[in-house]
Amino acid sequence: MLLEICASNYQSALNAQKAGAYRIELCSELGTGGITPSYGLLKKVMEELTIPVMVLIRPRSGNFVYSNADFDIMKRDIELCKELGCAGIVSGVLTADFKIDIKRTSELIELARPLSFTFHRAFDHIINPEQAVVDLVNLGAKRILTSGQHSKAIDGIENLKHYQELAGDELIILPGGGINAGNSSAFAKANFKEVHASATEIIEQTNEEKVPMNSPKFLQENIEVISNSENITAIFKNLENED
């Protein structure tokens, strides 16, 4: 059984390799479910690690319905990953009614070739996961990273087994979400080929907090946060009115 480690920084990636992980999924910002890593992080990992590196292509936090600009950024990031020699892409696009965006996901899969393509945990937002498994088999995806539409994969393990039955040998169901040393054996017993975990440790950097930088209101998954043109104009107007 292969272990993939979700690494959100260089040290995590290095630790995964040292501990014997088969591969990593490289991203940033685990607190938002992960976004595309920076060029600097990606290049350093590619230069210094020898295990396969899958890269999360998600241009922002929030939902998985993307503007034309978002989608263009995703395609540029995939092209960069191919240039750097990454092993695969982890991505996906949904429609506003929680179905796979067949056209755009197909375009990403084709652009990623010959790299393998994993459809990420946007799958857990989909209203008809059984149809989505069939769709992704037909589109040529290699695997689906999913918690079985539960917060934790261990709670969704029956769904995960069902998805693997539907996929047969055409696609790998990659369980992920809250997998740890205490529950990982359940996935081995269920005969999954691969499993995904972050295996994180929280290290306190200082013993006191300063001015908070986190904004919980921005972390909802059903929102998109943008700088509003009218708000910017209002700020300019008030600045210009100052004596």
Side-chain angles (χ1 to χ4, degrees), residues 19-167:
Y22 174 74
R23 66 171 180 259
I24 64 168
E25 179 207 3
L26 189 65
C27 66
S28 291
E29 300 302 328
L30 286 181
T32 65
I35 58 173
T36 304
S38 71
Y39 172 79
L41 173 58
L42 180 55
K43 195 158 192 314
K44 183 172 179 62
V45 166
M46 290 304 301
E47 288 175 349
E48 301 193 18
L49 267 65
T50 58
I51 60 175
V53 177
M54 308 286 286
V55 183
L56 178 63
I57 303 298
R58 186 185 180 204
R60 56 164 175 76
S61 61
N63 62 28
F64 302 97
V65 182
Y66 296 118
S67 67
N68 290 337
D70 287 333
F71 193 59
D72 183 57
I73 291 167
M74 295 169 76
K75 291 189 289 184
R76 291 170 187 256
D77 283 335
I78 288 176
E79 289 171 345
L80 174 62
C81 290
K82 292 174 73 173
E83 291 173 8
L84 292 175
C86 300
I89 298 299
V90 183
S91 193
V93 185
L94 300 185
T95 61
D97 56 351
F98 301 102
K99 299 176 183 177
I100 293 177
D101 187 323
I102 298 294
K103 182 177 183 300
R104 283 186 159 179
T105 299
S106 176
E107 190 172 340
L108 295 183
I109 291 172
E110 292 303 316
L111 179 61
R113 294 187 192 281
L115 309 187
S116 69
F117 188 95
T118 299
F119 193 92
H120 58 33
R121 287 192 62 197
F123 184 89
D124 292 316
H125 287 195
I126 290 172
I127 58 172
N128 188 341
E130 289 84 2
Q131 182 59 51
V133 170
V134 174
D135 289 340
L136 288 167
V137 167
N138 292 335
L139 290 175
K142 175 70 173 179
R143 62 182 61 80
I144 300 171
L145 171 60
T146 170
S147 58
Q149 300 216 319
H150 286 257
S151 296
K152 296 181 179 180
I154 192 65
D155 297 326
I157 194 167
E158 293 304 317
N159 286 342
L160 293 167
K161 290 191 286 188
H162 177 52
Y163 303 156
Q164 190 62 76
E165 290 174 359
L166 287 174

Side-chain angles (χ1 to χ4, degrees), residues 171-187:
L171 180 150
I172 296 168
I173 297 299
L174 175 60
I179 294 177
N180 54 46
N183 59 30
S184 56
S185 62
F187 299 92

